[in-house]
Amino acid sequence: RILRFGEKENFWGPAGSEGPCGPCSEIHYDYGLEFGCGKSTCAPNCDCQRFVELWNLVFMELYQDADMQRTALPAPNIDTGMGLERMAAVLQGKNTVYETDLFLPLIHKIELLCGKTYGEDESADYSIRVVAEHARSMSFLIGDGVVPGNEGRGYVLRRVIRRAIRFGRWLGLEGSFLGVVAEAGIDLMGHMYQELSTGREFIIRIIQLEEDKFQ
């Protein structure tokens, strides 16, 4: 099923005030009527949960300058990006990436720690998702050599850790808990990402130190 949308929905860029840009062709997966809003106008780009964008192909054929003027690029190309985790969700018959095997081990660990069951309360579910996603992110950041700081990427890491702590508190988690959740992520992905397995102790220690500082 092919639908045409205008520039508002299907045009990418430029990334800054000027640069390459062009129209794009998005590939969506339709979860079905039962996930839609029920409106006759429901289609890809609707705000409901029926459609999820899996793939985007940007036809980089224009250059937009600071005055919003566009000229043809001398060497147009196609910039393509696929949502790997979204594809995993579709292939595993799940509605969100958090229900796939990429996240469930972390979510189960959080359930054990806080005594809540994922899927029973939307407010708690949101907090569980934040803690799971942030715990995974901080592990990769530290594994790549980033440490908490007050500027640059170190500040981004610090904010990620502290936000995860805040949402953990809303789940009733006390003391240091992020290291335990991060370990579940390392167990899950360490065999593919050696920086996680070899840096396991260092990653956990940095997380716990930052938790202690924040507390």
Side-chain angles (χ1 to χ4, degrees), residues 182-196:
E183 275 194 294
I186 294 171
D187 290 339
L188 178 66
M189 294 189 156
H191 68 292
M192 289 296 293
Y193 296 91
Q194 293 300 310
E195 66 270 26
L196 295 182

Side-chain angles (χ1 to χ4, degrees), residues 8-83:
K8 180 183 177 183
E9 298 289 355
N10 285 106
F11 192 93
W12 187 92
S17 59
E18 56 183 306
C21 58
C24 61
S25 178
E26 299 172 352
I27 299 173
H28 289 73
Y29 181 77
D30 183 354
Y31 275 107
L33 286 170
E34 62 271 28
F35 293 95
C37 57
K39 298 176 182 176
S40 59
T41 55
C42 187
N45 299 315
C46 184
D47 291 332
C48 70
Q49 302 301 309
R50 177 176 171 179
F51 300 93
V52 61
E53 181 188 334
L54 295 179
W55 209 319
N56 194 356
L57 300 102
V58 181
F59 299 91
M60 292 288 197
E61 56 190 38
L62 302 168
Y63 187 92
Q64 181 172 301
D65 62 25
D67 295 324
M68 306 289 286
Q69 299 300 310
R70 294 171 181 168
T71 53
L73 285 173
N77 62 85
I78 299 176
D79 183 356
T80 179
M82 185 191 75

Side-chain angles (χ1 to χ4, degrees), residues 20-161:
C21 58
C24 61
S25 178
E26 299 172 352
I27 299 173
H28 289 73
Y29 181 77
D30 183 354
Y31 275 107
L33 286 170
E34 62 271 28
F35 293 95
C37 57
K39 298 176 182 176
S40 59
T41 55
C42 187
N45 299 315
C46 184
D47 291 332
C48 70
Q49 302 301 309
R50 177 176 171 179
F51 300 93
V52 61
E53 181 188 334
L54 295 179
W55 209 319
N56 194 356
L57 300 102
V58 181
F59 299 91
M60 292 288 197
E61 56 190 38
L62 302 168
Y63 187 92
Q64 181 172 301
D65 62 25
D67 295 324
M68 306 289 286
Q69 299 300 310
R70 294 171 181 168
T71 53
L73 285 173
N77 62 85
I78 299 176
D79 183 356
T80 179
M82 185 191 75
L84 180 61
E85 292 185 345
R86 293 182 185 186
M87 185 65 78
V90 168
L91 291 174
Q92 292 177 32
K94 306 299 182 182
N95 296 326
T96 72
V97 297
Y98 298 103
E99 298 168 40
T100 67
D101 56 6
L102 294 166
F103 273 103
L104 277 181
L106 286 85
I107 286 176
H108 290 331
K109 180 66 69 175
I110 298 166
E111 287 178 318
L112 288 172
L113 291 171
C114 70
K116 299 181 187 298
T117 301
Y118 186 75
E120 290 186 349
D121 177 76
E122 180 51 39
S123 178
D125 289 353
Y126 185 84
S127 295
I128 290 171
R129 290 195 294 266
V130 170
V131 175
E133 195 279 329
H134 284 22
R136 193 178 73 163
S137 297
M138 65 184 72
S139 299
F140 275 100
L141 283 166
I142 298 169
D144 279 342
V146 182
V147 293
N150 290 325
E151 57 185 32
R153 60 185 191 170
Y155 185 63
V156 172
L157 173 59
R158 174 161 284 167
R159 290 291 299 273
V160 166
I161 293 174

